Amino acid sequence: MLVVEGAVRDRGRRGAGGSPSAWSSVTPLLRARGIAHTLADNAMTSLRDDEASVRALIDGIEGPVLLVGHSYGGAVITNAGTHERVVGLVYVAAFAPDTGESVSAIVERHEPALVAQYTHRGPDGGWITRDDEESRAALAWDVPEDVLRAARYERRVTADAAFQQPTREPAWATRPSWYLVATSDRHLLPEIQRGFVARMRAASEEVDTSHAVAHAAPAQVVAVIERAIAAVS
C-alpha cells in the first residue's frame, strides 16, 4: 500500500503555508512500519494544477493508492482521488469540499479563524501568513522549535487560484474516508472539520493539537493511516 500526500512538499520542497519538513515527524514512523509512501510536489499555483500533479504521480505508482492530505491538501486529494487506483482517503485537519465548492467558499461561510489576523494578500493576490514569534505562539504553539526554525526560511506565497477553483466530483463520495480532527486548530476551525466528517460519513477521531497535527501528534496520524490501510487491503 502506498501513501501519497496531496499537499505538502518534502526533501527541500515547500508546502501549503508551512515548512518543507511538514511531514518529517511522520515519515520516519511510516518507514519504521514498512509503509511505502511518496510525498507529492505541488506548485500551489491552482487546484487544477495540483490535481494534475498528483494524478501524474499516481500514474507512476504500481498498485492501489491511499491518499493522505493535510489542510489545503484535502481539496487536492478530494479531486485527484477519483483516479481509478485510489482506494481510500485520509484527511488530517484538511478541507473536504463537495461538488462546486472551493476552499475560499467554505471558509467564508464561517466566522474567521485566528489565522486571519496573521494573514495578508500579496501584490499578486497570493496569501501570505506572518512568520514571527507572535504568530507562531498563537497558531503553532505545539510544533517543535527546530521545525519552526527550519520553516522560517522556507515560506512562500500561495496563489489565490488554489483556494478559488471549485471541486469537481469529490472522491470521498465513492471511496472510504478517514478524518483526524484537530480540536485546537486555529487555521481550520474544528466545527468545520466536524462538518466535513458528518457530510462524508467518514470514520473519525479527534486529537487536541494545533493545525500542525503531523508534528504535534505524529503517532496518531500514523495510527489512522494504518487503520485505513488495514480496512482497504
Side-chain angles (χ1 to χ4, degrees), residues 161-211:
F163 300 143
Q164 295 287 353
Q165 289 182 333
T167 285
R168 294 186 280 214
E169 176 192 355
W172 52 257
T174 54
R175 288 156 176 79
S177 300
W178 290 259
Y179 201 109
L180 186 57
V181 176
T183 61
S184 294
D185 197 330
R186 297 173 181 173
H187 289 72
L188 178 55
L189 297 173
E191 55 264 38
I192 301 178
Q193 297 180 47
R194 293 184 182 114
F196 294 146
V197 169
R199 182 166 67 183
M200 292 191 294
R201 298 182 180 178
S204 68
E205 297 181 29
E206 299 195 352
V207 61
D208 186 16
T209 71
S210 70
H211 191 58

Short mmCIF file of all heavy atoms in Angstrom, two decimals, residues 161-211:
data_model
loop_
_atom_site.label_atom_id
_atom_site.label_comp_id
_atom_site.label_asym_id
_atom_site.label_seq_id
_atom_site.Cartn_x
_atom_site.Cartn_y
_atom_site.Cartn_z
N ALA A 161 -5.70 31.15 -6.87
CA ALA A 161 -6.46 30.16 -7.64
C ALA A 161 -6.53 28.81 -6.93
O ALA A 161 -7.48 28.04 -7.14
CB ALA A 161 -5.82 29.97 -9.02
N ALA A 162 -5.57 28.52 -6.08
CA ALA A 162 -5.61 27.26 -5.35
C ALA A 162 -6.83 27.21 -4.44
O ALA A 162 -7.41 26.14 -4.22
CB ALA A 162 -4.33 27.10 -4.53
N PHE A 163 -7.23 28.35 -3.92
CA PHE A 163 -8.35 28.41 -2.99
C PHE A 163 -9.67 28.76 -3.66
O PHE A 163 -10.73 28.51 -3.08
CB PHE A 163 -8.06 29.44 -1.90
CG PHE A 163 -6.84 29.14 -1.08
CD1 PHE A 163 -6.01 30.16 -0.64
CD2 PHE A 163 -6.49 27.84 -0.77
CE1 PHE A 163 -4.88 29.88 0.11
CE2 PHE A 163 -5.36 27.55 -0.02
CZ PHE A 163 -4.56 28.58 0.43
N GLN A 164 -9.62 29.31 -4.86
CA GLN A 164 -10.83 29.78 -5.52
C GLN A 164 -11.43 28.77 -6.48
O GLN A 164 -12.64 28.80 -6.74
CB GLN A 164 -10.54 31.08 -6.29
CG GLN A 164 -10.15 32.26 -5.40
CD GLN A 164 -11.34 32.82 -4.62
OE1 GLN A 164 -12.48 32.41 -4.85
NE2 GLN A 164 -11.08 33.74 -3.70
N GLN A 165 -10.65 27.88 -7.04
CA GLN A 165 -11.18 26.94 -8.03
C GLN A 165 -12.08 25.90 -7.36
O GLN A 165 -11.76 25.37 -6.31
CB GLN A 165 -10.04 26.26 -8.78
CG GLN A 165 -9.33 27.20 -9.73
CD GLN A 165 -8.23 26.53 -10.52
OE1 GLN A 165 -7.65 25.55 -10.09
NE2 GLN A 165 -7.92 27.07 -11.69
N PRO A 166 -13.22 25.59 -7.98
CA PRO A 166 -14.19 24.67 -7.37
C PRO A 166 -13.81 23.21 -7.56
O PRO A 166 -13.12 22.84 -8.51
CB PRO A 166 -15.49 25.00 -8.11
CG PRO A 166 -15.02 25.45 -9.46
CD PRO A 166 -13.73 26.19 -9.23
N THR A 167 -14.31 22.40 -6.66
CA THR A 167 -14.13 20.96 -6.74
C THR A 167 -15.08 20.37 -7.77
O THR A 167 -16.20 20.85 -7.96
CB THR A 167 -14.40 20.34 -5.36
OG1 THR A 167 -13.28 20.61 -4.52
CG2 THR A 167 -14.63 18.85 -5.42
N ARG A 168 -14.61 19.33 -8.43
CA ARG A 168 -15.47 18.59 -9.35
C ARG A 168 -16.08 17.42 -8.57
O ARG A 168 -16.52 17.61 -7.45
CB ARG A 168 -14.65 18.17 -10.56
CG ARG A 168 -14.19 19.41 -11.36
CD ARG A 168 -13.50 19.07 -12.64
NE ARG A 168 -12.11 18.69 -12.46
CZ ARG A 168 -11.13 18.96 -13.35
NH1 ARG A 168 -11.40 19.65 -14.44
NH2 ARG A 168 -9.91 18.57 -13.14
N GLU A 169 -16.11 16.25 -9.11
CA GLU A 169 -16.66 15.12 -8.38
C GLU A 169 -15.78 14.81 -7.17
O GLU A 169 -14.58 14.55 -7.32
CB GLU A 169 -16.73 13.89 -9.29
CG GLU A 169 -17.22 12.64 -8.58
CD GLU A 169 -17.01 11.39 -9.41
OE1 GLU A 169 -16.58 11.51 -10.56
OE2 GLU A 169 -17.28 10.29 -8.88
N PRO A 170 -16.32 14.82 -5.95
CA PRO A 170 -15.48 14.55 -4.78
C PRO A 170 -15.22 13.06 -4.61
O PRO A 170 -16.14 12.24 -4.61
CB PRO A 170 -16.31 15.09 -3.61
CG PRO A 170 -17.73 14.96 -4.08
CD PRO A 170 -17.71 15.17 -5.57
N ALA A 171 -13.95 12.72 -4.44
CA ALA A 171 -13.59 11.31 -4.32
C ALA A 171 -14.20 10.66 -3.09
O ALA A 171 -14.50 9.46 -3.09
CB ALA A 171 -12.06 11.16 -4.28
N TRP A 172 -14.42 11.46 -2.04
CA TRP A 172 -14.97 10.88 -0.81
C TRP A 172 -16.41 10.37 -0.98
O TRP A 172 -16.89 9.59 -0.16
CB TRP A 172 -14.90 11.86 0.36
CG TRP A 172 -15.49 13.23 0.12
CD1 TRP A 172 -14.79 14.38 -0.13
CD2 TRP A 172 -16.88 13.59 0.16
NE1 TRP A 172 -15.67 15.44 -0.26
CE2 TRP A 172 -16.94 14.99 -0.09
CE3 TRP A 172 -18.06 12.90 0.38
CZ2 TRP A 172 -18.16 15.69 -0.13
CZ3 TRP A 172 -19.27 13.58 0.34
CH2 TRP A 172 -19.31 14.96 0.08
N ALA A 173 -17.07 10.78 -2.06
CA ALA A 173 -18.43 10.31 -2.29
C ALA A 173 -18.47 8.85 -2.74
O ALA A 173 -19.50 8.18 -2.63
CB ALA A 173 -19.12 11.18 -3.34
N THR A 174 -17.35 8.34 -3.25
CA THR A 174 -17.32 6.99 -3.79
C THR A 174 -16.22 6.11 -3.19
O THR A 174 -16.08 4.95 -3.59
CB THR A 174 -17.12 7.03 -5.32
OG1 THR A 174 -15.95 7.79 -5.63
CG2 THR A 174 -18.34 7.66 -5.99
N ARG A 175 -15.46 6.66 -2.24
CA ARG A 175 -14.38 5.91 -1.63
C ARG A 175 -14.41 6.07 -0.11
O ARG A 175 -14.82 7.12 0.38
CB ARG A 175 -13.02 6.38 -2.18
CG ARG A 175 -12.78 5.94 -3.62
CD ARG A 175 -11.79 6.84 -4.33
NE ARG A 175 -11.51 6.35 -5.67
CZ ARG A 175 -12.32 6.55 -6.71
NH1 ARG A 175 -13.47 7.19 -6.54
NH2 ARG A 175 -11.99 6.10 -7.90
N PRO A 176 -13.97 5.08 0.63
CA PRO A 176 -13.96 5.21 2.08
C PRO A 176 -12.99 6.30 2.53
O PRO A 176 -11.94 6.49 1.91
CB PRO A 176 -13.51 3.83 2.57
CG PRO A 176 -12.76 3.24 1.41
CD PRO A 176 -13.45 3.77 0.18
N SER A 177 -13.37 7.01 3.60
CA SER A 177 -12.56 8.12 4.06
C SER A 177 -12.39 8.06 5.57
O SER A 177 -13.26 7.58 6.29
CB SER A 177 -13.23 9.46 3.67
OG SER A 177 -13.38 9.57 2.28
N TRP A 178 -11.27 8.59 6.01
CA TRP A 178 -10.95 8.72 7.43
C TRP A 178 -10.58 10.17 7.69
O TRP A 178 -10.04 10.85 6.82
CB TRP A 178 -9.78 7.81 7.81
CG TRP A 178 -10.13 6.36 7.79
CD1 TRP A 178 -10.43 5.56 8.86
CD2 TRP A 178 -10.25 5.50 6.64
NE1 TRP A 178 -10.72 4.29 8.45
CE2 TRP A 178 -10.62 4.22 7.09
CE3 TRP A 178 -10.07 5.70 5.26
CZ2 TRP A 178 -10.81 3.15 6.23
CZ3 TRP A 178 -10.26 4.64 4.40
CH2 TRP A 178 -10.64 3.37 4.88
N TYR A 179 -10.89 10.64 8.90
CA TYR A 179 -10.64 12.06 9.20
C TYR A 179 -10.09 12.18 10.63
O TYR A 179 -10.66 11.63 11.57
CB TYR A 179 -11.92 12.88 9.08
CG TYR A 179 -11.65 14.37 8.87
CD1 TYR A 179 -11.90 14.97 7.65
CD2 TYR A 179 -11.13 15.14 9.91
CE1 TYR A 179 -11.64 16.32 7.46
CE2 TYR A 179 -10.87 16.49 9.72
CZ TYR A 179 -11.13 17.07 8.49
OH TYR A 179 -10.85 18.40 8.30
N LEU A 180 -8.97 12.92 10.77
CA LEU A 180 -8.41 13.23 12.08
C LEU A 180 -8.65 14.71 12.35
O LEU A 180 -8.08 15.58 11.68
CB LEU A 180 -6.91 12.91 12.10
CG LEU A 180 -6.22 13.05 13.47
CD1 LEU A 180 -6.88 12.17 14.52
CD2 LEU A 180 -4.73 12.70 13.34
N VAL A 181 -9.54 14.99 13.30
CA VAL A 181 -9.92 16.36 13.64
C VAL A 181 -8.94 16.92 14.67
O VAL A 181 -8.65 16.28 15.68
CB VAL A 181 -11.34 16.40 14.23
CG1 VAL A 181 -11.71 17.81 14.69
CG2 VAL A 181 -12.36 15.88 13.21
N ALA A 182 -8.44 18.13 14.41
CA ALA A 182 -7.58 18.83 15.38
C ALA A 182 -8.47 19.78 16.18
O ALA A 182 -8.97 20.78 15.66
CB ALA A 182 -6.49 19.61 14.66
N THR A 183 -8.68 19.46 17.44
CA THR A 183 -9.69 20.19 18.22
C THR A 183 -9.26 21.57 18.68
O THR A 183 -10.09 22.36 19.12
CB THR A 183 -10.11 19.36 19.45
OG1 THR A 183 -8.97 19.14 20.30
CG2 THR A 183 -10.71 18.03 19.03
N SER A 184 -7.96 21.88 18.60
CA SER A 184 -7.48 23.22 18.96
C SER A 184 -6.94 23.96 17.74
O SER A 184 -6.09 24.85 17.86
CB SER A 184 -6.41 23.13 20.05
OG SER A 184 -6.95 22.64 21.26
N ASP A 185 -7.43 23.58 16.58
CA ASP A 185 -6.98 24.16 15.31
C ASP A 185 -7.42 25.62 15.20
O ASP A 185 -8.60 25.93 15.35
CB ASP A 185 -7.57 23.37 14.15
CG ASP A 185 -6.86 23.60 12.83
OD1 ASP A 185 -6.33 24.71 12.63
OD2 ASP A 185 -6.84 22.67 12.01
N ARG A 186 -6.47 26.53 14.93
CA ARG A 186 -6.77 27.95 14.77
C ARG A 186 -6.62 28.41 13.32
O ARG A 186 -6.61 29.60 13.04
CB ARG A 186 -5.88 28.78 15.70
CG ARG A 186 -6.15 28.46 17.17
CD ARG A 186 -5.18 29.12 18.10
NE ARG A 186 -5.47 28.75 19.50
CZ ARG A 186 -4.70 29.08 20.54
NH1 ARG A 186 -3.59 29.78 20.33
NH2 ARG A 186 -5.02 28.70 21.75
N HIS A 187 -6.47 27.43 12.42
CA HIS A 187 -6.47 27.69 10.98
C HIS A 187 -7.80 27.24 10.38
O HIS A 187 -8.53 28.03 9.79
CB HIS A 187 -5.33 26.95 10.29
CG HIS A 187 -3.97 27.48 10.55
ND1 HIS A 187 -3.33 27.33 11.76
CD2 HIS A 187 -3.11 28.15 9.74
CE1 HIS A 187 -2.12 27.88 11.69
NE2 HIS A 187 -1.97 28.39 10.48
N LEU A 188 -8.08 25.96 10.51
CA LEU A 188 -9.32 25.37 10.01
C LEU A 188 -10.17 24.99 11.22
O LEU A 188 -9.86 24.04 11.94
CB LEU A 188 -9.01 24.13 9.15
CG LEU A 188 -10.19 23.36 8.57
CD1 LEU A 188 -11.09 24.26 7.75
CD2 LEU A 188 -9.68 22.18 7.74
N LEU A 189 -11.22 25.75 11.47
CA LEU A 189 -11.99 25.61 12.69
C LEU A 189 -12.48 24.18 12.90
O LEU A 189 -12.94 23.53 11.96
CB LEU A 189 -13.18 26.56 12.68
CG LEU A 189 -12.85 28.05 12.63
CD1 LEU A 189 -14.12 28.88 12.44
CD2 LEU A 189 -12.12 28.48 13.91
N PRO A 190 -12.40 23.67 14.14
CA PRO A 190 -12.84 22.30 14.41
C PRO A 190 -14.28 22.04 13.99
O PRO A 190 -14.60 20.94 13.54
CB PRO A 190 -12.66 22.17 15.93
CG PRO A 190 -11.57 23.14 16.26
CD PRO A 190 -11.77 24.30 15.32
N GLU A 191 -15.17 23.04 14.13
CA GLU A 191 -16.55 22.82 13.73
C GLU A 191 -16.68 22.61 12.22
O GLU A 191 -17.57 21.88 11.76
CB GLU A 191 -17.45 23.97 14.18
CG GLU A 191 -17.01 25.34 13.74
CD GLU A 191 -16.21 26.07 14.79
OE1 GLU A 191 -15.40 25.42 15.49
OE2 GLU A 191 -16.38 27.29 14.91
N ILE A 192 -15.80 23.22 11.44
CA ILE A 192 -15.79 22.98 10.00
C ILE A 192 -15.33 21.56 9.73
O ILE A 192 -15.91 20.84 8.90
CB ILE A 192 -14.90 23.99 9.27
CG1 ILE A 192 -15.37 25.43 9.52
CG2 ILE A 192 -14.87 23.69 7.78
CD1 ILE A 192 -14.51 26.49 8.87
N GLN A 193 -14.29 21.14 10.43
CA GLN A 193 -13.78 19.78 10.26
C GLN A 193 -14.86 18.75 10.60
O GLN A 193 -15.03 17.76 9.87
CB GLN A 193 -12.55 19.57 11.14
CG GLN A 193 -11.37 20.48 10.78
CD GLN A 193 -10.17 20.24 11.68
OE1 GLN A 193 -9.79 19.09 11.93
NE2 GLN A 193 -9.58 21.30 12.19
N ARG A 194 -15.56 18.97 11.69
CA ARG A 194 -16.61 18.02 12.07
C ARG A 194 -17.75 18.02 11.06
O ARG A 194 -18.41 16.99 10.85
CB ARG A 194 -17.12 18.37 13.47
CG ARG A 194 -16.06 18.15 14.55
CD ARG A 194 -16.61 18.42 15.94
NE ARG A 194 -15.60 18.26 16.96
CZ ARG A 194 -15.12 19.26 17.72
NH1 ARG A 194 -15.60 20.48 17.57
NH2 ARG A 194 -14.19 19.03 18.62
N GLY A 195 -17.99 19.16 10.43
CA GLY A 195 -18.98 19.22 9.37
C GLY A 195 -18.59 18.37 8.18
O GLY A 195 -19.43 17.69 7.57
N PHE A 196 -17.29 18.38 7.84
CA PHE A 196 -16.81 17.50 6.77
C PHE A 196 -17.05 16.04 7.13
O PHE A 196 -17.50 15.25 6.30
CB PHE A 196 -15.31 17.72 6.54
CG PHE A 196 -14.92 19.07 6.01
CD1 PHE A 196 -13.72 19.65 6.38
CD2 PHE A 196 -15.74 19.77 5.13
CE1 PHE A 196 -13.34 20.88 5.89
CE2 PHE A 196 -15.37 21.01 4.63
CZ PHE A 196 -14.16 21.57 5.02
N VAL A 197 -16.72 15.69 8.37
CA VAL A 197 -16.87 14.31 8.82
C VAL A 197 -18.32 13.84 8.65
O VAL A 197 -18.59 12.75 8.13
CB VAL A 197 -16.44 14.17 10.29
CG1 VAL A 197 -16.85 12.80 10.83
CG2 VAL A 197 -14.93 14.36 10.43
N ALA A 198 -19.26 14.68 9.09
CA ALA A 198 -20.66 14.32 9.01
C ALA A 198 -21.11 14.17 7.56
O ALA A 198 -21.85 13.23 7.21
CB ALA A 198 -21.51 15.36 9.73
N ARG A 199 -20.69 15.09 6.73
CA ARG A 199 -21.11 15.05 5.33
C ARG A 199 -20.53 13.85 4.60
O ARG A 199 -21.22 13.20 3.79
CB ARG A 199 -20.69 16.35 4.64
CG ARG A 199 -21.11 16.43 3.19
CD ARG A 199 -20.97 17.84 2.67
NE ARG A 199 -19.58 18.30 2.59
CZ ARG A 199 -19.22 19.53 2.21
NH1 ARG A 199 -20.16 20.42 1.90
NH2 ARG A 199 -17.97 19.87 2.15
N MET A 200 -19.27 13.53 4.88
CA MET A 200 -18.61 12.42 4.20
C MET A 200 -18.98 11.07 4.80
O MET A 200 -18.74 10.04 4.19
CB MET A 200 -17.09 12.57 4.29
CG MET A 200 -16.52 13.72 3.52
SD MET A 200 -14.71 13.60 3.45
CE MET A 200 -14.28 13.82 5.17
N ARG A 201 -19.52 11.12 6.04
CA ARG A 201 -19.72 9.88 6.81
C ARG A 201 -18.40 9.16 6.97
O ARG A 201 -18.31 7.93 6.85
CB ARG A 201 -20.77 8.99 6.14
CG ARG A 201 -22.14 9.65 6.05
CD ARG A 201 -23.17 8.74 5.45
NE ARG A 201 -24.48 9.38 5.37
CZ ARG A 201 -25.57 8.84 4.85
NH1 ARG A 201 -25.51 7.62 4.34
NH2 ARG A 201 -26.71 9.49 4.84
N ALA A 202 -17.39 9.92 7.25
CA ALA A 202 -16.04 9.38 7.41
C ALA A 202 -15.85 8.78 8.79
O ALA A 202 -16.47 9.22 9.77
CB ALA A 202 -15.01 10.49 7.18
N ALA A 203 -14.98 7.80 8.88
CA ALA A 203 -14.53 7.33 10.19
C ALA A 203 -13.65 8.43 10.77
O ALA A 203 -12.76 8.94 10.08
CB ALA A 203 -13.75 6.04 10.03
N SER A 204 -13.90 8.82 11.99
CA SER A 204 -13.19 9.99 12.52
C SER A 204 -12.64 9.76 13.91
O SER A 204 -13.16 8.95 14.68
CB SER A 204 -14.09 11.22 12.52
OG SER A 204 -15.13 11.08 13.47
N GLU A 205 -11.60 10.49 14.20
CA GLU A 205 -11.01 10.56 15.53
C GLU A 205 -10.63 12.02 15.78
O GLU A 205 -10.53 12.82 14.84
CB GLU A 205 -9.77 9.67 15.63
CG GLU A 205 -10.06 8.20 15.42
CD GLU A 205 -8.81 7.36 15.54
OE1 GLU A 205 -7.90 7.76 16.28
OE2 GLU A 205 -8.75 6.31 14.88
N GLU A 206 -10.42 12.36 17.04
CA GLU A 206 -10.04 13.72 17.38
C GLU A 206 -8.77 13.71 18.21
O GLU A 206 -8.51 12.78 18.97
CB GLU A 206 -11.18 14.42 18.14
CG GLU A 206 -12.46 14.53 17.33
CD GLU A 206 -13.46 15.52 17.91
OE1 GLU A 206 -13.23 16.01 19.04
OE2 GLU A 206 -14.47 15.81 17.23
N VAL A 207 -7.98 14.77 18.03
CA VAL A 207 -6.75 14.92 18.79
C VAL A 207 -6.61 16.39 19.15
O VAL A 207 -6.94 17.28 18.35
CB VAL A 207 -5.53 14.42 17.96
CG1 VAL A 207 -5.37 15.21 16.66
CG2 VAL A 207 -4.27 14.44 18.79
N ASP A 208 -6.17 16.68 20.36
CA ASP A 208 -6.09 18.06 20.84
C ASP A 208 -4.75 18.68 20.44
O ASP A 208 -3.79 18.70 21.22
CB ASP A 208 -6.25 18.09 22.37
CG ASP A 208 -6.33 19.53 22.90
OD1 ASP A 208 -6.57 20.45 22.08
OD2 ASP A 208 -6.15 19.72 24.11
N THR A 209 -4.70 19.19 19.21
CA THR A 209 -3.49 19.81 18.69
C THR A 209 -3.84 21.07 17.92
O THR A 209 -5.01 21.35 17.64
CB THR A 209 -2.71 18.87 17.73
OG1 THR A 209 -3.46 18.74 16.51
CG2 THR A 209 -2.49 17.51 18.34
N SER A 210 -2.79 21.78 17.52
CA SER A 210 -2.93 22.88 16.58
C SER A 210 -3.17 22.31 15.18
O SER A 210 -3.32 21.09 15.00
CB SER A 210 -1.65 23.72 16.58
OG SER A 210 -0.58 23.00 15.98
N HIS A 211 -3.15 23.19 14.19
CA HIS A 211 -3.33 22.76 12.80
C HIS A 211 -2.20 21.84 12.34
O HIS A 211 -2.39 21.01 11.46
CB HIS A 211 -3.41 24.00 11.91
CG HIS A 211 -3.84 23.74 10.51
ND1 HIS A 211 -5.03 23.13 10.19
CD2 HIS A 211 -3.23 24.02 9.32
CE1 HIS A 211 -5.15 23.04 8.87
NE2 HIS A 211 -4.07 23.56 8.33
#
